[in-house]
Amino acid sequence: MLKKMAGGILSAVLLASSTVSAMPVDVMSTAVAADSKYNYADALDKSLFFYEVQQAGPLPEWNRVEWKSDSTMSDPVLGGWYDAGDHVKFNLPMAYSASMLAWGIYQYPDGVEKAGLKKIYENNLEFVLDYFVNCDKGTEVVYQVGIGKHDHTWWGAADLLEYGMEDNSHSIAESRAALKSSKGCCAVFGEMAAALASGAVALDGSISASKKADYLKHADSIYELAKSSPNDTVYNESDAQGFYMSHHCYDQLFYAANWLYIATGDQSYLDDAKSFIPKLDKMRGEGDVIAYGWGHCWDDNLQGAMLLYAINTNDADAIAHVKKHCDRWVNYGEPKKCPGGLRWLDSWGSLRYANAAAFIATVASDTVLKSEADTYMEFAETQVNFALGDNPDKRSYLIGFGDNYPQYPHHRTAHGSWKNSVYDPVHTRHILYGALVGGPNQDGSYKDSRDDFINNEVATDYNAGFTAMLCKMIDKYGGTKDPSFPQPEKHDSPEFYVEVLSKGGDSSGQTVSFKMTNHSAWPARVQDNLSFRYFMDLSEVIAAGKKPEDLVIRCDRDQAGMYAGKGYKPAEISKPIQYSGNIYYIEVTFPDGRVVLPISEGQQQCEELIAFVMPDYGSGWDSSNDFSAKGLGKTTTGADGSSKGVMSPYVPVYINGKLYYGEEPDGTKADGMGSTGSDAPKTTTTTTTSPVTTTTTTSDRTTTTTTETTTTTTSDTTTTTSTTSNHGGSTNVTYGDTNCDGKIDLADAILIMQALANPNKYGVGGTADKPLTEQGKLNGDVDLTTKGLTGDDAVVIQKYLLHVYTTLPVNG
């Protein structure tokens, strides 16, 4: 385990420098080959992450996407992948994508395993195959879940899709219907059979024999339905017609038969494959010549299927066909020229076609066209490298890879809108790591815009051939995964806050509009038991002989109560509660989080209009001195000239009674920027000290102050701060926290290795965004056997994370 972790650190280091001294042999063995343009293992890891973003239904425990949760849990068939930036599960492109992932690791497994990505790769493949198994209902097969024409009316996170549909007047049963049939769906059934058969082969040895047999049983069952009704009349008359209409189906049958033969060795499947050849599409203008143009994709499996047939039979005609197809791509036959060497086939998903063609050419060069392997491999590498940044604009089209990548993908959940708007917010709230965007236009131009769904669309089939191609690139060049990927995201703002606006007041009280706001995106969610507190200084009221309980709290508008017809609970408003001295507060609680959801302009906020009135008080109540009144005068003006409320930290928000965001009168604060999940509004922090300890307890937290050594334990890290000498110098040191971010993790070890490998960029005063600092040098020097920062310090930190060491520093 330690060797793998140490090796993984090199991924970042090797990008920083081509020379690294004094590295352990086991670390260097995982290095990227010297002639490699990119770290393809890192690209593959991110591409797999994208498939995890697309996961529907209950998420597996290995899912790495912190801003996703279980979604569309009412679907008739759970699981599977959302197609693109939407939430429909179109089985035709999904099955194609699954078959390509299977083919990639089936053909080139060694590099993936050496890069430490085999398990996560297989997990993603198994996840989608299990969904296809569940789609097989015996006499009928589900070929789509979700209705595109309804789904595409709403722009929001998958986690709240059902609420978004209802807000757009679509019932859940209607918008998430399962489309199924026993006939007239040949293409999608053939593709599903191919996915299950190829997956069974690819996962052989990693799954149980019984599970493999189950995959093959369903593959054969679905294949037989496809073969018995070789047309797409039912499928093409369904909702699918507006999104993924099928134009032929014998290519899918041909593809499935070849995979079933590979998986079982049963000659009958190969006989079927041969019988399908005369029925395949013909090359326009060339008589009975089988079509060798276009490219392998969700709607056209002919070229991939013919390659499999050539491999399975060594048939001369099939081999000649494969060569004509590969030459057409190499020599710009059907694909057009794009600056930088990209073969550009179509405006929709140009990178998708090029990388799938690259994979077909690569497999051909390694099997039936070995004599021209160099030519085809050069073409293939040009396509994948173009996508990763080897193009005139030096742009990576793989989100999160490199320094210059798309910022505005056409993807609802990644965007994180709370208003059902593709334009609001302007920025994309999550990095959609690993998504390959559609790509450039034929002239090389590219528009990084969320509403440009040609250039900036993302989809599971866009990544499919690209992912398979990366398996080959790792097999040839090696590569290392980043052990710290993915890092937790920094929130762009508190997910829950209150917007306040004064509606007027006088000496006897005032009226305030409070808008509880839900802009959650980590993940977007229903948050029950939200509350806010309004703090008041009642000193002058008490001095005038009045009592706090005399204060009348009148709710003039309870938006939460408007949802009573749906069975939602209204807001609960407390009487004045003493906080400290003459400072009191009222608490407004929303026990049912469904009253405020980030799904539309109308529902992202829930207003409570509250009047504070002291009867028969006369004059003299100065409500402006209330702690929570600080934000009331800071209104803004909308486009229509009306006053707008402002986000106020002085009306703090609580989750389950614990402070989540804002400030209390005694200075207790919470920024609401790092919390996720309904049960963890704040990171639990416990501080213990020696030898002198002073503890102060406030309303919801305990703070411990020390005079000498302090150890702070949070939910995921432990750091030690000391004022003792550090190899002769006395200063405050947080051992292990090399990057000074307040925690110890692999990023600290990585920074040490980066700084040693490329001090000009990552060392003290380096050009990197966050280079090593003088404090970081002291913090990172955890191996007491050597003075100063060395590679041994990085190893010690890793051993500490593996619990080999329980404290830092150590005599390593």
Side-chain angles (χ1 to χ4, degrees):
M1 175 65 177
L2 180 58
K3 287 184 179 180
K4 288 184 178 180
M5 291 176 66
I9 290 177
L10 243 339
S11 62
V13 176
L14 290 169
L15 294 176
S17 173
S18 60
T19 59
V20 183
S21 60
M23 288 290 180
V25 174
D26 59 274
V27 172
M28 289 302 293
S29 67
T30 63
V32 181
D35 55 347
S36 171
K37 281 183 176 289
Y38 300 101
N39 184 350
Y40 300 108
D42 185 42
L44 177 59
D45 195 17
K46 288 180 169 63
S47 186
L48 294 173
F49 181 90
F50 171 65
Y51 283 103
E52 292 168 44
V53 171
Q54 299 304 100
Q55 287 178 345
L59 298 181
E61 56 85 21
W62 47 264
N63 182 284
R64 297 174 289 174
V65 188
E66 66 166 309
W67 39 273
K68 278 288 298 298
S69 62
D70 297 349
S71 55
T72 56
M73 293 296 289
S74 62
D75 278 359
V77 183
L78 295 176
W81 292 330
Y82 298 125
D83 174 57
D86 56 1
H87 314 116
V88 183
K89 296 185 289 195
F90 293 107
N91 284 15
L92 182 57
M94 189 195 308
Y96 162 77
S97 302
S99 75
M100 291 305 289
L101 263 64
W103 195 351
I105 197 168
Y106 165 73
Q107 200 78 41
Y108 304 109
D110 295 343
V112 177
E113 183 168 15
K114 289 178 182 177
L117 291 171
K118 182 172 182 282
K119 183 60 177 176
I120 195 68
Y121 196 116
E122 292 177 338
N123 282 345
N124 276 282
L125 180 55
E126 192 173 351
F127 178 88
V128 71
L129 295 180
D130 289 346
Y131 165 75
F132 292 136
V133 166
N134 292 330
C135 285
D136 185 3
K137 303 302 182 182
T139 58
E140 291 184 311
V141 174
V142 172
Y143 60 86
Q144 180 176 320
V145 177
I147 304 303
K149 64 184 179 182
H150 296 162
D151 182 272
H152 285 217
T153 65
W154 181 70
W155 185 273
D159 316 81
L160 297 175
L161 175 66
E162 291 89 347
Y163 298 102
M165 288 293 95
E166 287 185 338
D167 195 57
N168 267 17
S169 302
H170 300 303
S171 71
I172 302 304
E174 180 185 37
S175 61
R176 300 306 296 175
L179 306 184
K180 58 186 176 181
S181 182
S182 60
K183 60 183 180 180
C185 298
C186 180
V188 63
F189 289 174
E191 200 81 73
M192 291 171 68
L196 285 164
S198 60
V201 174
L203 296 173
D204 189 26
S206 296
I207 57 175
S208 67
S210 61
K211 187 160 194 176
K212 177 184 176 183
D214 193 48
Y215 283 163
L216 290 175
K217 180 188 75 173
H218 288 283
D220 178 73
S221 173
I222 298 173
Y223 170 74
E224 289 298 329
L225 282 179
K227 194 169 66 165
S228 67
S229 181
N231 65 78
D232 291 315
T233 55
V234 173
Y235 177 81
N236 281 339
E237 290 175 2
S238 73
D239 177 75
Q241 67 175 296
F243 304 93
Y244 290 98
M245 179 177 283
S246 173
H247 296 89
H248 29 64
C249 68
Y250 277 101
D251 53 315
Q252 277 92 358
L253 284 172
F254 189 37
Y255 190 50
N258 275 285
W259 274 120
L260 280 162
Y261 171 73
I262 293 171
T264 66
D266 187 333
Q267 181 65 33
S268 66
Y269 291 120
L270 200 57
D271 293 341
D272 277 354
K274 185 176 181 179
S275 72
F276 296 143
I277 292 176
K279 300 176 181 179
L280 296 173
D281 283 3
K282 303 301 187 287
M283 198 69 184
R284 185 175 299 175
E286 297 189 27
D288 288 334
V289 175
I290 296 172
Y292 56 87
W294 202 246
H296 187 59
C297 64
W298 64 267
D299 189 37
D300 193 337
N301 293 169
L302 197 161
Q303 310 312 326
M306 190 62 79
L307 173 56
L308 291 174
Y309 186 75
I311 295 170
N312 289 339
T313 64
N314 203 34
D315 180 82
D317 290 339
I319 294 172
H321 175 104
V322 172
K323 176 173 169 52
K324 285 194 294 184
H325 173 69
C326 291
D327 288 345
R328 195 169 181 84
W329 275 87
V330 170
N331 301 319
Y332 295 100
E334 204 158 358
K336 304 298 188 293
K337 289 185 178 181
C338 182
L342 177 71
R343 287 1 179 231
W344 190 94
L345 184 65
D346 189 71
S347 58
W348 287 87
S350 57
L351 292 171
R352 154 204 24 200
Y353 292 112
N355 279 277
F359 181 72
I360 297 299
T362 296
V363 175
S365 71
D366 286 336
T367 54
V368 297
L369 298 178
K370 290 183 178 180
S371 63
E372 299 180 66
D374 289 346
T375 298
Y376 296 136
M377 197 61 210
E378 181 182 357
F379 151 70
E381 290 189 19
T382 297
Q383 306 313 296
V384 70
N385 288 336
F386 184 101
L388 293 175
D390 192 10
N391 53 64
D393 291 338
K394 304 302 179 186
R395 174 186 288 110
S396 165
Y397 290 97
L398 186 70
I399 298 174
F401 185 86
D403 297 324
N404 179 25
Y405 54 82
Q407 303 294 312
Y408 305 99
H410 187 81
H411 193 276
R412 291 157 172 76
T413 305
H415 178 213
S417 176
W418 51 81
K419 286 190 175 182
N420 185 18
S421 169
V422 70
Y423 303 108
D424 199 350
V426 174
H427 66 284
T428 302
R429 302 179 77 188
H430 307 297
I431 300 176
L432 191 60
Y433 284 111
L436 185 71
V437 298
N441 301 310
Q442 185 182 339
D443 62 3
S445 62
Y446 167 77
K447 183 180 180 182
D448 185 10
S449 175
R450 191 176 302 113
D451 61 356
D452 187 332
F453 41 80
I454 294 180
N455 288 160
N456 250 26
E457 178 73 277
V458 296
T460 58
D461 75 292
Y462 281 22
N463 273 64
F466 174 74
T467 302
M469 187 63 207
L470 288 173
C471 294
K472 168 63 179 182
M473 299 302 281
I474 298 172
D475 194 66
K476 181 176 181 178
Y477 293 108
T480 54
K481 70 186 295 292
D482 179 355
S484 66
F485 173 78
Q487 286 287 316
E489 287 188 344
K490 182 178 180 181
H491 295 196
D492 55 0
S493 68
E495 296 182 277
F496 308 99
Y497 63 85
V498 175
E499 186 179 283
V500 297
L501 175 65
S502 174
K503 291 294 188 175
D506 54 31
S507 59
S508 64
Q510 66 172 331
T511 301
V512 181
S513 167
F514 300 93
K515 290 184 178 179
M516 174 59 80
T517 305
N518 180 345
H519 286 180
S520 61
W522 283 272
R525 60 194 184 274
V526 176
Q527 181 59 69
D528 292 337
N529 295 319
L530 276 172
S531 66
F532 65 83
R533 295 177 185 175
Y534 186 83
F535 291 93
M536 304 167 288
D537 186 339
L538 300 182
S539 297
E540 66 273 22
V541 174
I542 294 172
K546 293 288 185 178
K547 298 177 181 179
E549 53 265 32
D550 294 334
L551 182 65
V552 173
I553 309 298
R554 188 183 70 235
C555 183
D556 292 341
R557 183 173 191 260
D558 174 19
Q559 188 175 347
M562 295 168 59
Y563 298 106
K566 292 185 175 183
Y568 300 175
K569 295 179 181 179
E572 299 171 354
I573 305 175
S574 75
K575 295 291 186 180
I577 301 170
Q578 187 176 28
Y579 178 77
S580 176
N582 290 335
I583 297 178
Y584 287 74
Y585 66 87
I586 65 157
E587 184 159 23
V588 179
T589 303
F590 301 87
D592 194 328
R594 294 175 294 178
V595 301
V596 52
L597 294 172
I599 60 172
S600 64
E601 174 69 52
Q603 279 211 251
Q604 48 105 14
Q605 292 184 313
C606 185
E607 184 182 27
E608 299 297 311
L609 186 63
I610 299 176
F612 302 84
V613 181
M614 184 61 73
D616 304 322
Y617 181 69
S619 60
W621 183 13
D622 182 12
S623 58
S624 66
N625 68 357
D626 294 341
F627 176 80
S628 292
K630 293 181 181 181
L632 293 181
K634 300 177 181 179
T635 57
T636 59
T637 302
D640 60 356
S642 63
S643 296
K644 301 288 184 181
V646 295
M647 175 179 177
S648 175
Y650 306 111
V651 181
V653 172
Y654 301 77
I655 297 178
N656 293 319
K658 291 188 177 182
L659 181 63
Y660 164 80
Y661 166 70
E663 182 178 348
E664 294 182 348
D666 72 348
T668 301
K669 295 180 181 180
D671 63 12
M673 293 292 284
S675 311
T676 57
S678 60
D679 294 325
K682 293 179 69 176
T683 300
T684 301
T685 303
T686 305
T687 309
T688 58
T689 64
S690 63
V692 180
T693 303
T694 303
T695 303
T696 303
T697 303
T698 62
S699 60
D700 71 339
R701 66 176 188 174
T702 300
T703 303
T704 306
T705 307
T706 71
T707 58
E708 292 189 17
T709 303
T710 304
T711 300
T712 304
T713 303
T714 63
S715 58
D716 59 349
T717 59
T718 300
T719 60
T720 302
T721 305
S722 176
T723 57
T724 58
S725 71
N726 183 55
H727 304 312
S730 180
T731 185
N732 288 319
V733 177
T734 303
Y735 284 112
D737 186 17
T738 314
N739 59 10
C740 301
D741 67 351
K743 59 185 178 181
I744 303 172
D745 54 24
L746 278 172
D748 299 300
I750 290 172
L751 182 57
I752 292 174
M753 303 303 286
Q754 289 176 320
L756 293 174
N758 191 344
N760 290 332
K761 184 174 182 179
Y762 294 101
V764 176
T767 59
D769 290 339
K770 295 182 179 180
L772 185 69
T773 63
E774 289 292 348
Q775 183 63 53
K777 282 179 63 178
L778 297 174
N779 293 350
D781 190 5
V782 294
D783 180 17
L784 297 178
T785 61
T786 56
K787 184 177 181 179
L789 216 53
T790 68
D792 291 336
D793 295 300
V795 174
V796 167
I797 290 175
Q798 293 176 74
K799 288 184 176 181
Y800 173 75
L801 295 173
L802 290 172
H803 306 295
V804 176
Y805 299 132
T806 58
T807 60
L808 293 176
V810 299
N811 286 304

